[in-house]
Amino acid sequence: MTATVEPELGTSSTKRMTMAVAMNSALDLAMDRDDSVLLLGEDIADPAGGVFKVTKGLSTKYGTGRVRATPISETAIIGAAVGAALAGMRPVAEIMFMDFVTVCLDQITNHAAKLRYMSGGHSSVPLTIRTTVGEQRFGAQHTQSLETWFMHTPGIKVVMPSNPIDAKGLLASCIADNDPCLYIENISLAYSQKDEVPVKEYFTPLGEAAVTRAGRDVTVITYGPAVHTAVAAAEVLAAEGVEVEVIDLRTLMPLDMDTVLASASRTGRALIVHDAHTFLGPGAEIAAQIANDLFGELKGPVRRVGTGFSPAPYAPSGLDFHPTSDTVAAAICELVDY
Amino acid sequence: MTQSPTTEQVDVGDLSTDDLREMYKTMRLITVTGERAVVEVKAGRLKSAFYPVRGLEGSCAALGSAMRPEDQIVSTYRSLGDALAKRSSLRRIIAEIYGKADGTSKGKGGAMHLHDQEAGFITSTGVVGAGLPIAVGLALAASIRGEKRAVVATFGDGSTSIGAWHEAMNLAGLWKLPVVFVCQNNQWAEHTPIDEYAAVTDLESRARAYGMTTAKVDGFDPIRTARVLSEATARARAGEGPSFVEVVTYRLTGHSGSSDYSYMPKDQLAAATERDPAPAFRRWLLDAEIVDETALEEIDKQVAAEVDDAFEFAQNAPQPNASERYTDVFADERQVPKS
C-alpha cells in the first residue's frame, strides 16, 4: 500500500497551482526521487512539453533518455511501457486523448492488466497511463469517457482527480503503485481552477473516496468534472433547504463502496452523476450495489445522471452532452420529493 | 528449398562439442515433449489448447545456444521450444500446461501464457505480434540502465501483418535498442500460407526498411542459424542496435495440437518432414564424427526419462487451491471487488 502523507494546507509549503501544474510537479518529484521513473508519449519532450504542457520542462531537466518523445504509435508506447515495467522501471505513458486508447487496447487489457495474474504473481507491471477526456469542442473521436471499459477489466486501476491537490497526490500514488493505473485527466479542469497544493511530494491513497460536501438529505456519488457540476447543484439547493452530500470517488478501481454505502445509508437517497454514458456506465454498478445492500433503508430508487447514448456532438450549443448542474439539481429534487 | 547441414559444412565456429551435444538434446527435448503433449491431448488426459513447435526445433536450439542467462526472451503462444531453449524447468512448464499449482504460473497462465522470470523467459503472448513492443520496452530499460543484455522477441511469420509488429520495429530502429527480432518463419499464419497473406513474402526486406541489421537463414541448418543469432545477440549486448533474423523453417504439424492437416500441401509437408530437425542433426553429428552413436543414444534415453518424469510430475501435482482465484489480480488482494 502507498504510504499516506497528509498535505499541510495553508502553510508556506503550499502554492496555488492548476491541475496541469500539480501533475507536472508530481512527475518532477517522482523523477527526481526515483531513477526508474520514465516518461513516454507523443510530443512530451521540450520545447513542445506535451500537447497539454503537463510534461513541460521535464526533458530539459532529466534528459530525453528518460523523457522520451515517441512516434505516433500508441501500441508501441504502451507495449514498450509494459516491457520497461516488467524490467522493474516505473514508466508513465501518455495517450493524448482517451479515444486513442482504442488503438492500444490490446496492450492495456490483455498484457498490462493480465501479466501479474498470468505469471502467478511473478511479474509486476508498475505502469501509469495518463490520458485526457472532456472537451466536446474536439468532436466525437476526442471526447469519449471510456472508464467503464477499464473498470470492467480485472488487473488495472482507474483514477480520475477532480482538483489540483488530488491531481498531484493521486498521480504520485499511481506512479508508486505496483499495478498498472489508468490516470484520467479532464482537459477543462486542468487549467480552469487553482488551489493550494503542497510543494513537496505527497500521496493521496488509491481507493479512498473523499466527502467533498457534507449533507443529510441526499448522497450524490460522482468523480472528475461532474464533482463540480454536483457541487454547483448542491449550492443552489442549499438555498432551498436541501442538504446534499457530495462524494468524490477519486478512484474508480478500487472502488470505495464503504464510503458510498455509509453515506447513502445515512441519507436514504442516492444519485450517481458522471460524464460517462449513463447506459452501462460506472453508475450502473454503483447503483446496483447500493440497491442490493441498502434495499430496506432507501427512501426512493437509486438514480443516475450521465451522458446520453450518442457520440459527442460537435456543436455544444443546443446539443448538450455532459450533465449540467440544472439536470443534476432536477434529479436531486425528484429524489427528495419521491 | 535449402538443405540440412551436411558434412561439408563442418565450420562450427565457436560451438564446442558440448554446445553441439546440448543443441541436439534441446531439439530432442522439444520433439519428444511436443509429441507427448499431443498424445496426452488426444487421449483426453490433457485439456489444453496446445500449439506444437515441430519443425522449429533447430531454430529454437540455435537460439538457446545464442542466448546467455542474463538475456531475456518474449515468446508467443507457440512457446514450448523457446522456453526449453531458455532452460526453463521442464517439470514446471509441463505442470503449467496441465494447469497445476506447481506450474511456472501456479496454473493461472497455461500453455499459451508461459512465464519464467527466473530463467529470463519474461512472457509469452497469446495475441499475435503483441510481444514485439514489450520486448522493445525490456530493451529500452536495459539501454537506459546500461545493462549489457540482449532482449529476444520470437514470433511467427503471421505476426508481420499486425500493426504492433511495425510500430515495435520502428521504435527499436529509431532508438537503436538491444533487441533481436527472431522471425520463426514456418510459412503459415494459422491455416493460411504466406503467399496468400503477404504482399511481399521476403520478410527480411520489410525489416530492412526499419534501419536495422538483418539476416535470413535456413532454420533447418542449426549451425548456421546459431552463428547468425549469436552475432545478433552479441551486437545487442555490445550496444550496437537491433537485429532482425528471419529463420526459414516449416511447420511439421497443423496449427494446433490435434488439428487437421488438410490445407497443407502433402508434397510440401513430406519434403519438410525429410528435414525434420532433430533426426537430421543426429545424422549430421554422426557423419561429421562429432558425437558417436552410443553418446547420442544416451542423450535420447536421458530425454525420454526427463519427459516421462516431467509428465508424471505434472499429472500428480496438486490442483491450484480455490483461494488462489483472486490473488495476483492486484498486488494487494484486498483491492479486488467483492462482487
Side-chain angles (χ1 to χ4, degrees), chain A residues 21-247:
Chain A
V21 172
M23 292 185 283
N24 181 277
S25 166
L27 293 171
D28 186 4
L29 293 165
M31 292 197 81
D32 185 54
R33 180 170 59 89
D34 184 353
D35 283 347
S36 68
V37 177
L38 157 75
L39 311 189
L40 291 157
E42 293 156 22
D43 303 321
I44 64 168
D46 295 329
V51 168
F52 298 110
K53 308 297 174 198
V54 172
T55 52
K56 188 109 186 125
L58 298 177
S59 71
T60 302
K61 192 165 174 184
Y62 299 103
T64 49
R66 285 176 68 200
V67 181
R68 296 234 166 191
T70 64
I72 301 175
S73 304
E74 280 80 7
T75 299
I77 293 168
I78 301 300
V82 169
L86 284 171
M89 298 199 78
R90 295 193 173 273
V92 182
E94 179 176 311
I95 298 295
M96 203 178 290
F97 287 89
M98 195 173 198
D99 311 69
F100 305 166
V101 301
T102 55
V103 177
C104 49
L105 205 56
D106 169 50
Q107 286 295 339
I108 302 175
T109 61
N110 289 325
H111 297 86
K114 303 291 190 294
L115 280 166
R116 177 182 296 283
Y117 199 77
M118 295 195 310
S119 67
H122 294 295
S123 295
S124 189
V125 185
L127 157 69
T128 302
I129 302 168
R130 292 180 38 244
T131 194
T132 67
V133 291
E135 278 284 325
Q136 200 177 331
R137 68 190 153 100
F138 289 121
Q141 292 176 346
H142 286 69
T143 313
Q144 297 175 82
S145 296
L146 301 172
E147 51 269 29
T148 310
W149 291 8
F150 301 95
M151 293 171 72
H152 200 65
T153 301
I156 184 158
K157 291 173 179 169
V158 184
V159 174
M160 191 163 181
S162 69
N163 57 64
I165 191 162
D166 285 346
K168 181 166 175 172
L170 290 169
L171 182 53
S173 290
C174 286
I175 295 168
D177 199 84
N178 286 328
D179 292 312
C181 298
L182 181 71
Y183 177 93
I184 309 166
E185 302 162 13
N186 183 275
I187 302 169
S188 319
L189 292 185
Y191 310 101
S192 65
Q193 44 165 353
K194 276 190 179 179
D195 271 331
E196 288 290 326
V197 175
V199 174
K200 284 191 195 154
E201 191 174 40
Y202 78 97
F203 300 89
T204 305
L206 302 183
E208 280 186 24
V211 179
T212 300
R213 191 182 189 285
R216 63 172 187 276
D217 298 321
V218 184
T219 300
V220 175
I221 301 117
T222 182
Y223 60 89
V227 171
H228 301 277
T229 315
V231 168
E235 276 163 12
V236 170
L237 294 174
E240 298 170 23
V242 179
E243 286 303 325
V244 179
E245 181 146 303
V246 178
I247 293 176

Side-chain angles (χ1 to χ4, degrees), chain B residues 9-68:
Chain B
Q9 299 164 346
V10 287
D11 177 13
V12 297
D14 294 337
L15 295 167
S16 67
T17 303
D18 277 352
D19 292 336
L20 295 169
R21 232 195 309 257
E22 187 66 28
M23 281 173 67
Y24 174 69
K25 187 182 172 187
T26 304
M27 288 185 216
R28 278 297 294 169
L29 209 49
I30 296 167
T31 304
V32 177
T33 306
E35 286 179 341
R36 175 71 180 271
V38 171
V39 166
E40 297 293 322
V41 167
K42 285 184 175 164
R45 289 186 292 268
L46 174 56
K47 300 195 188 330
S48 170
F50 179 75
Y51 298 87
V53 282
R54 294 284 288 107
L56 297 181
E57 289 93 334
S59 160
C60 294
L63 185 56
S65 82
M67 280 187 294
R68 293 185 186 164

Side-chain angles (χ1 to χ4, degrees), chain A residues 147-148 151 209 219-223 247-261 264 270-274 276 278 280-294 298 301-304, chain B residues 339:
Chain A
E147 51 269 29
T148 310
M151 293 171 72
T219 300
V220 175
I221 301 117
T222 182
Y223 60 89
I247 293 176
D248 180 354
L249 293 169
R250 305 196 290 194
T251 304
L252 294 166
M253 180 60 66
L255 186 59
D256 181 4
M257 281 306 293
D258 291 345
T259 299
V260 171
L261 292 169
L271 173 74
I272 302 119
V273 181
H274 54 55
T278 310
L280 287 175
E285 174 64 29
I286 296 164
Q289 288 201 38
I290 296 170
N292 185 74
D293 289 25
L294 303 177
L298 296 173
V302 185
R303 288 270 163 85
R304 292 174 290 156
Chain B
S339 58

Side-chain angles (χ1 to χ4, degrees), chain B residues 189-339:
Chain B
E190 300 199 2
H191 300 76
T192 306
I194 188 165
D195 55 357
E196 287 182 25
Y197 73 76
V200 174
T201 56
D202 176 23
L203 304 177
E204 185 195 7
S205 71
R206 293 201 201 177
R208 221 176 282 133
Y210 291 109
M212 63 187 73
T213 308
T214 69
K216 186 181 224 153
V217 65
D218 174 13
F220 286 92
D221 182 342
I223 303 290
R224 197 164 282 160
T225 304
R227 192 178 309 145
V228 169
L229 290 172
S230 288
E231 284 165 11
T233 52
R235 197 177 298 126
R237 283 183 220 108
E240 291 166 10
S243 307
F244 175 93
V245 180
E246 180 184 348
V247 184
V248 183
T249 65
Y250 196 87
R251 202 179 65 207
L252 299 181
T253 64
H255 168 57
S256 66
S258 53
S259 83
D260 83 287
Y261 291 64
S262 62
Y263 55 93
M264 301 175 81
K266 282 197 175 59
D267 53 340
Q268 212 178 65
L269 182 58
T273 305
E274 294 262 306
R275 296 178 296 150
D276 191 349
F281 194 59
R282 194 183 203 281
R283 288 195 296 275
W284 179 77
L285 287 171
L286 283 172
D287 291 349
E289 297 179 349
I290 293 171
V291 188
D292 66 24
E293 181 71 41
T294 318
L296 287 167
E297 270 173 24
E298 186 52 39
I299 295 174
D300 291 348
K301 253 190 249 169
Q302 254 180 41
V303 165
E306 277 181 38
V307 172
D308 282 346
D309 166 75
F311 275 83
E312 199 183 327
F313 171 81
Q315 285 163 351
N316 295 329
Q319 302 287 353
N321 195 309
S323 65
E324 281 286 329
R325 169 78 186 277
Y326 298 105
T327 61
D328 307 322
V329 176
F330 291 127
D332 183 348
E333 195 187 335
R334 291 169 300 178
Q335 295 182 323
V336 178
K338 299 288 181 291
S339 58

Side-chain angles (χ1 to χ4, degrees), chain B residues 115-129:
Chain B
H115 292 243
D116 190 349
Q117 289 278 6
E118 275 172 39
F121 188 89
I122 303 299
T123 184
S124 45
T125 68
V127 182
V128 169

